[in-house]
Amino acid sequence: MPGGGALGNSRIDPAIKTREDFEEYPWEEIPDLYFKANGKYFSALRNRMPEGMKAVGGVGNGIFECVQDITGYENLCLMMYDDEELFSELFRKAGETNLKIWKRFMAEYGDIYCVPRFGDDMGYKSKIEVPKEIVRDFSRLAGLLEIADKEFQEIRQRISKYELDVSKKLQNDGQEEEVSLDAISLQVLLDTDEAFIRSEEHT
């Protein structure tokens, strides 16, 4: 979060203390700033991860943590009583911003994660609740992750079926079967040829 740091250091002057601070805060720039700073790490993870391995993780902090990082805990508590409307808008804006980041994250890096997650907030196991206006964003985010997971499962199933179909076509001796050349069909062809060579060596 631009101007953040109050989450881990109460001595930092918070980025948002007033309505004016909130209005001037670069909310719309945050998704691009986030991926500019962290995209290289997700890409490195994809490039280094062994075949078949998936990660558990996600974009980072929860909604409460993001808000506290730019307001400070003490200032946030005072704001809850001094300006309830601003207090609610902060959480709503943080939720909307996180949703944008998660959508892009799932589109670009969701394939390398088996369990997407982000930080738990205060109220997870207590009576302190996130403002009701934010619950809707949490529900939308949960739905987004569920849809993405289903899509990735279907893609994996389609890839498995495609590999099987290509293998059957290549094994049809004497029959001309058109097979598109791609990474999957090439690997199946190499595996098939290798198996054929091994069988010839043993005959």
Side-chain angles (χ1 to χ4, degrees):
M1 302 291 284
L7 177 63
N9 187 351
S10 60
R11 297 182 179 181
I12 288 180
D13 187 35
I16 297 180
K17 294 181 288 186
T18 65
R19 165 68 61 177
E20 183 179 3
D21 293 337
F22 173 79
E23 298 293 345
E24 294 179 354
Y25 195 73
W27 295 103
E28 298 304 318
E29 300 175 18
I30 291 177
D32 287 337
L33 291 173
Y34 177 85
F35 286 99
K36 182 178 180 180
N38 300 290
K40 57 187 177 184
Y41 300 115
F42 298 131
S43 297
L45 178 62
R46 172 185 282 130
N47 295 334
R48 300 289 295 178
M49 188 177 293
E51 182 179 358
M53 177 179 281
K54 299 291 182 180
V56 176
V59 303
N61 292 334
I63 307 301
F64 181 87
E65 294 166 320
C66 289
V67 172
Q68 184 182 342
D69 195 45
I70 55 177
T71 64
Y73 185 72
E74 182 179 349
N75 184 57
L76 184 62
C77 292
L78 293 173
M79 189 184 300
M80 182 171 62
Y81 289 97
D82 295 338
D83 194 337
E84 186 175 346
E85 183 178 353
L86 176 58
F87 179 83
S88 296
E89 288 183 27
L90 264 169
F91 279 92
R92 183 174 65 252
K93 199 66 176 180
E96 292 172 352
T97 302
N98 269 266
L99 184 60
K100 290 178 182 178
I101 292 174
W102 268 101
K103 283 183 176 180
R104 181 170 167 181
F105 174 83
M106 293 303 299
E108 297 184 14
Y109 304 106
D111 60 304
I112 60 175
Y113 285 83
C114 60
V115 181
R117 66 163 301 281
F118 64 109
D120 294 327
D121 281 309
M122 294 180 66
Y124 172 59
K125 292 184 177 180
S126 71
K127 296 182 180 180
I128 303 175
E129 297 182 355
V130 172
K132 290 183 173 59
E133 294 85 352
I134 310 304
V135 174
R136 187 165 53 247
D137 286 334
F138 278 120
S139 299
R140 289 168 59 195
L141 180 55
L144 173 67
L145 297 178
E146 185 174 348
I147 291 172
D149 181 62
K150 181 179 179 182
E151 291 292 329
F152 284 124
Q153 287 182 12
E154 292 178 355
I155 289 174
R156 285 194 292 270
Q157 292 172 359
R158 289 171 58 189
I159 290 176
S160 298
K161 183 179 183 301
Y162 179 68
E163 290 175 342
L164 182 61
D165 291 343
V166 170
S167 180
K168 288 180 178 179
K169 288 181 179 180
L170 293 176
Q171 292 174 13
N172 284 339
D173 295 333
Q175 299 183 22
E176 293 187 0
E177 293 278 359
E178 183 175 339
V179 177
S180 299
L181 183 61
D182 52 50
I184 295 176
S185 61
L186 181 59
Q187 185 61 54
V188 172
L189 178 61
L190 292 173
D191 293 342
T192 302
D193 286 348
E194 185 179 346
F196 175 75
I197 293 172
R198 284 200 302 268
S199 65
E200 287 293 303
E201 291 176 346
H202 288 83
T203 57

